[in-house]
Amino acid sequence: MLPADPRFLGATVTNEGTNFALLTEAADAVELCLFNEVNGHLVETRFALAHRTGPIWHGYLAGVRPGQRYGYRVYGPWHPERGLRFNAAKLLIDPYAHQLDGQIFYLPEIYGHLSEDSQGLGDINLRDNRDSAGKVPYSVVTEDSPRKILRLNTPWAKTLIYEAHVQGLTAKNPDIDPDERGTYRALGHPSTITHLKKIGVSALELLPIQSSITEPAIWNRGRRNYWGYNPIAFSAPHAAYASTADPITELQWAVDQLHAAGIEVILDVVYNHTAEGGIGGPTLSFRGIDNKAWYRHQSDAEYIDLTGCGNTINAGQPHVVRHILDSLRWWSEVIGIDGFRFDLATALYGNQSATDSSLFAAIAADPVLRDLKLIAEPWDVTRYCLGDFAYPWREWNDHYRDSLRQFWLGDLARGFGEGVGDIASRIGGSSDIFYYRGPTSSINFITAHDGFTLNDLVSYQEKRNGPNCENNRDGGINDRSWNVGVEGPSNNPDITAIRSRLKKSLLATLMLSSGVPMLSMGDEVSRTQNGSNNAYSLPINMTDENSSTPEVFGGGWALNWNLAKEEQDMLDAVAELSSIRSTYLADVSSEFFTGALDRGTLRKDIAWFSLGGREMTDTHWQDGEKRSITVFIEAGSNRALLLLLNSSRNEMEFTLPSSIWGQTFRCIFDASRITATYEPVIAAPSAKVKVAQHSAQVWLVSRGYSLVRSPDA
């Protein structure tokens, strides 16, 4: 092979061939392996990458074109006690591959050590000499380059995020061709876009689409990793989500359709660990390329595990920083992605802080990446760092989630009552956490992929994770849920009415809080997981009657498109609430409210009232059993919003604020009513109004003129 340009890692297509380059410092030799069909059989041809520039091994092959399947074999010492696990018998995925072909077969041959079974059980110190080719995916040469992207650059204050799964979002959509349901192409289908636009979505956040595999232990239980938080190629779209043999082009098309409709696309990315798992996991790529260089070690023979998945990527190393940045740029410049949510982000900065992280500093300084939407999950299995990330980062605010659940679902008999002080801070934008960064630093959410759905949050007291086959040990144990007296579905109209009010009230609070709201897929139509708070896996045998039916997971993680009356009402409620937010709050929520008195108007930009219509006193704030609050929020010239929140078990009478705050009050949303048929109620200052138990109302406040029904009033 001729030398290649070592500046470009991976497989780079030229006019006459392809450059190949792989970075590994400790290897003794590297072979490029091409796989081609010959008489119906896949034949392997090996070429030595004989040229080396520093840690980069490289070579050029004329005639190699896009579509060529390949892999690497890396030679070097096998000294597990020193962290060196080279094994040339194992075919390795190129970390820079943008497409994979084939699947993994759970056999002993995929392990670098001597394994006795499909899960890697055996002697981790003995090298296995069986060839893994044909049992692991192949890398595929692709030719793609940065392209012109329609960047919407939606301001954070006008952003509404919708977290969804590629397959689950469209798998049951009857308007999409069955062969395209659950695929990248279906994301760009008009019916998908219509649904997202109806509820005001401005950014679609997709669960991981990096190429991933199921963990061997989960596979052995007859389940598979549905969520995809187990990547093996950071920069290759997961092939199972494509309706064609060209996942890259299909995904680009879908992104373009979403952009044309005014919807940005954010990816949930997993750079903190890989699917190679712990020391006893399979050797598929990074471990065989340079184990010590790619993974963090607490000793030469053992990994540091900050992720709960067996390994942690060594993101403090320059070559790893480069790799992650190259991956992010590829997703952004080639696919067209507008932002990234970093799973377990704290695992990526080692023993440093977020502000000292070499990776995050490089991202913030990068001319392409720094202007994208960057979201951190500010914790890992050992650390909790909410509020530690600097501009331009935003953070998942689980304190917001817990506060809303506590206020609306907390049962005083179980010791969950804590008054209204905390929820007031969350509605105001969590200034106690993000005081120097502004309210849009907070990604507000009630539910996410991990945990109960909104419907199950008000239907189950206990988790029901039996279908994962882990004896219900998995998943959280403190969901702050409330089943309203009956575990699971109920035909009791009183219970279903309370559950409906609670769901709408939670969503009303979410939509009208300062910060960036995020909806979880299906909450707008009361999606259920039948009590599972850890629905990451799907059974392979979908006919298993032992709590493994499609309705439990296959159905549970798919959006229902055929809506019953209650589900349609929820959808209408979310659409109405998002419209209220975009109309009245989008232009006033970029900065924290001050709560200061305007000497000219004698009003404040945000104020809190007790049931009697007067501003709350210290006594009110210190009342741990208080279950109601009125929130006044300035919404621009001559108008404001008033939220009446009643989480108590009784109907409550609220007194509206005096004429200083507004001349006309109109109720534009009531969680206790059917949304589509609700007729707004107009009231005068200081009027007394009733709010149903476990319910919220939203009032539009006007000064100096009468209100009409127009939503722009």
Side-chain angles (χ1 to χ4, degrees):
M1 296 179 69
L2 296 173
D5 189 335
R7 295 176 300 170
F8 303 103
L9 293 171
T12 307
V13 177
T14 68
N15 290 334
E16 298 179 353
T18 300
N19 287 306
F20 293 91
L22 182 72
L23 190 151
T24 170
E25 289 186 296
D28 294 331
V30 177
E31 285 182 340
L32 169 69
C33 308
L34 303 186
F35 293 85
N36 294 287
E37 293 281 351
V38 177
N39 297 324
H41 298 282
L42 203 59
V43 176
E44 177 182 355
T45 306
R46 302 185 185 184
F47 300 88
L49 290 185
H51 305 280
R52 183 174 183 177
T53 302
I56 300 174
W57 301 72
H58 53 93
Y60 173 79
L61 273 181
V64 173
R65 309 307 300 161
Q68 174 67 58
R69 285 170 286 187
Y70 72 99
Y72 289 109
R73 296 184 186 274
V74 179
Y75 295 80
W78 177 268
H79 293 304
E81 72 283 358
R82 292 161 49 192
L84 301 174
R85 291 181 168 271
F86 293 102
N87 187 341
K90 308 305 167 182
L91 185 71
L92 305 176
I93 295 168
D94 183 356
Y96 274 80
H98 297 307
Q99 186 174 342
L100 301 185
D101 179 58
Q103 61 181 322
I104 187 170
F105 292 89
Y106 294 85
L107 299 169
E109 288 90 332
I110 68 175
Y111 296 90
H113 65 277
L114 189 59
S115 173
E116 300 171 358
D117 63 9
S118 62
Q119 296 188 70
L121 182 65
D123 192 332
I124 62 172
N125 294 313
L126 293 180
R127 179 160 57 185
D128 180 74
N129 295 320
R130 290 169 290 188
D131 193 349
S132 68
K135 301 169 183 65
V136 295
Y138 303 102
S139 305
V140 178
V141 175
T142 59
E143 184 176 21
D144 37 61
S145 57
R147 63 194 186 96
K148 185 176 180 180
I149 308 296
L150 174 62
R151 293 295 182 198
L152 299 170
N153 297 317
T154 305
W156 279 107
K158 296 184 178 181
T159 296
L160 171 58
I161 298 172
Y162 184 84
E163 186 198 38
H165 187 279
V166 170
Q167 285 187 340
L169 180 58
T170 62
K172 290 186 173 183
N173 187 340
D175 294 330
I176 298 177
D177 186 294
D179 293 334
E180 294 182 355
R181 293 175 193 167
T183 69
Y184 297 127
R185 186 167 185 82
L187 295 177
H189 192 273
S191 61
T192 306
I193 291 173
T194 297
H195 179 79
L196 296 176
K197 296 292 287 184
K198 176 180 176 64
I199 56 176
V201 172
S202 70
L204 175 62
E205 181 178 308
L206 297 174
L207 266 65
I209 63 172
Q210 298 162 307
S211 285
S212 63
I213 63 169
T214 292
E215 297 87 336
I218 295 172
W219 182 274
N220 193 61
R221 292 200 299 268
R223 301 295 180 259
R224 66 181 176 90
N225 188 322
Y226 183 65
W227 286 349
Y229 288 91
N230 199 43
I232 195 54
F234 291 145
S235 304
H238 195 57
Y241 298 157
S243 64
T244 67
D246 186 359
I248 294 175
T249 300
E250 183 175 331
L251 181 56
Q252 288 173 325
W253 178 87
V255 170
D256 290 346
Q257 300 307 302
L258 289 161
H259 283 170
I263 300 173
E264 295 180 305
V265 182
I266 298 172
L267 289 191
D268 192 335
V269 287
V270 184
Y271 292 111
N272 55 72
H273 77 280
T274 79
E276 290 185 306
I279 292 293
T283 295
L284 306 172
S285 182
F286 304 92
R287 195 198 317 276
I289 292 171
D290 201 333
N291 183 52
K292 283 293 290 289
W294 278 100
Y295 295 118
R296 294 185 61 195
H297 287 68
Q298 62 182 4
S299 68
D300 286 339
E302 296 181 64
Y303 289 150
I304 292 174
D305 181 11
L306 301 179
T307 66
C309 300
N311 65 59
T312 305
I313 284 290
N314 197 357
Q317 293 298 312
H319 72 278
V320 181
V321 171
R322 173 185 176 179
H323 180 69
I324 293 175
L325 261 65
D326 286 346
S327 174
L328 293 169
R329 288 194 208 97
W330 185 85
W331 286 109
S332 174
E333 296 185 298
V334 175
I335 299 300
I337 300 305
D338 303 289
F340 302 92
R341 179 263 189 190
F342 287 72
D343 178 65
L344 300 181
T346 57
L348 289 167
Y349 56 70
N351 296 322
Q352 305 164 307
S353 67
T355 54
D356 294 329
S357 164
S358 54
L359 172 62
F360 293 162
I363 292 173
D366 188 275
V368 173
L369 303 177
R370 66 190 179 201
D371 293 328
L372 301 179
K373 284 183 163 63
L374 301 173
I375 303 170
E377 183 181 37
W379 53 79
D380 56 43
V381 297
T382 65
R383 287 176 297 183
Y384 181 81
C385 302
L386 178 63
D388 284 358
F389 289 75
Y391 178 87
W393 290 87
R394 270 65 184 174
E395 301 177 44
W396 268 29
N397 187 352
D398 65 327
H399 198 153
Y400 179 94
R401 173 200 66 199
D402 293 345
S403 178
L404 260 65
R405 292 185 181 190
Q406 182 113 336
F407 176 77
W408 284 110
L409 307 177
D411 185 342
L412 293 176
R414 292 188 291 155
F416 285 170
E418 293 182 359
V420 296
D422 200 45
I423 193 174
S425 295
R426 301 315 132 222
I427 291 173
S430 298
S431 60
D432 55 331
I433 299 171
F434 305 104
Y435 59 94
Y436 64 97
R437 292 161 55 192
T440 62
S441 297
S442 176
I443 304 298
N444 297 336
F445 64 102
I446 306 165
T447 64
H449 64 275
D450 192 8
F452 281 142
T453 66
L454 182 63
N455 182 79
D456 292 358
L457 194 64
V458 299
S459 303
Y460 293 90
Q461 209 88 349
E462 306 294 338
K463 63 182 180 181
R464 294 171 179 259
N465 297 338
N468 290 339
C469 297
E470 298 181 51
N471 295 319
N472 208 38
R473 293 191 302 267
D474 59 302
I477 58 173
N478 186 16
D479 290 293
R480 299 173 188 260
S481 62
W482 181 39
N483 64 13
V484 195
V486 174
E487 190 75 353
S490 173
N491 293 322
N492 185 319
D494 294 333
I495 291 176
T496 57
I498 292 175
R499 288 176 175 176
S500 175
R501 292 200 293 270
L502 285 170
K503 287 184 284 187
K504 290 182 183 180
S505 298
L506 281 158
L507 289 169
T509 313
L510 172 68
M511 288 293 194
L512 303 181
S513 297
S514 285
V516 181
M518 183 185 79
L519 290 170
S520 182
M521 183 193 82
D523 279 353
E524 75 277 16
V525 292
S526 298
R527 181 176 69 88
T528 180
Q529 292 169 176
N530 293 317
S532 171
N533 72 354
N534 190 31
Y536 73 93
S537 73
L538 278 169
I540 293 175
N541 179 10
M542 303 300 284
T543 61
D544 181 3
E545 294 182 359
N546 185 22
S547 69
S548 301
T549 65
E551 270 48 56
V552 174
F553 282 78
W557 248 102
L559 184 68
N560 180 23
W561 291 78
N562 297 311
L563 306 183
K565 181 179 179 180
E566 182 194 352
E567 295 164 342
Q568 182 62 52
D569 182 38
M570 279 296 299
L571 182 63
D572 292 338
V574 174
E576 181 65 24
L577 290 167
S578 68
S579 176
I580 293 171
R581 178 182 180 85
S582 63
T583 302
Y584 302 112
L585 292 185
D587 294 328
V588 299
S589 57
S590 294
E591 304 293 336
F592 286 123
F593 297 110
T594 66
L597 182 67
D598 185 311
R599 294 298 179 182
T601 65
L602 299 181
R603 293 187 299 271
K604 302 175 181 179
D605 56 4
I606 191 167
W608 315 88
F609 297 84
S610 66
L611 289 173
R614 297 177 182 272
E615 286 194 72
M616 287 177 54
T617 65
D618 288 344
T619 301
H620 292 124
W621 289 116
Q622 293 167 9
D623 182 358
E625 296 188 4
K626 188 171 178 56
R627 308 291 291 177
S628 60
I629 191 170
T630 299
V631 189
F632 174 92
I633 304 172
E634 281 282 7
S637 177
N638 289 320
R639 65 189 185 187
L641 289 179
L642 196 70
L643 281 61
L644 309 185
L645 309 180
N646 175 25
S647 68
S648 74
R649 295 173 181 265
N650 303 304
E651 179 184 79
M652 303 296 289
E653 185 176 79
F654 286 67
T655 300
L656 299 179
S658 69
S659 58
I660 292 175
W661 301 90
Q663 281 70 53
T664 309
F665 294 76
R666 183 173 68 135
C667 186
I668 57 177
F669 180 85
D670 187 337
S672 67
R673 306 296 179 87
I674 301 297
T675 303
T677 62
Y678 180 65
E679 290 293 335
V681 175
I682 296 178
S686 301
K688 298 183 183 300
V689 299
K690 295 184 183 297
V691 180
Q693 61 177 158
H694 309 296
S695 192
Q697 292 179 4
V698 182
W699 291 70
L700 183 59
V701 183
S702 173
R703 305 183 190 96
Y705 59 87
S706 290
L707 291 171
V708 295
R709 178 148 174 74
S710 167
D712 295 324

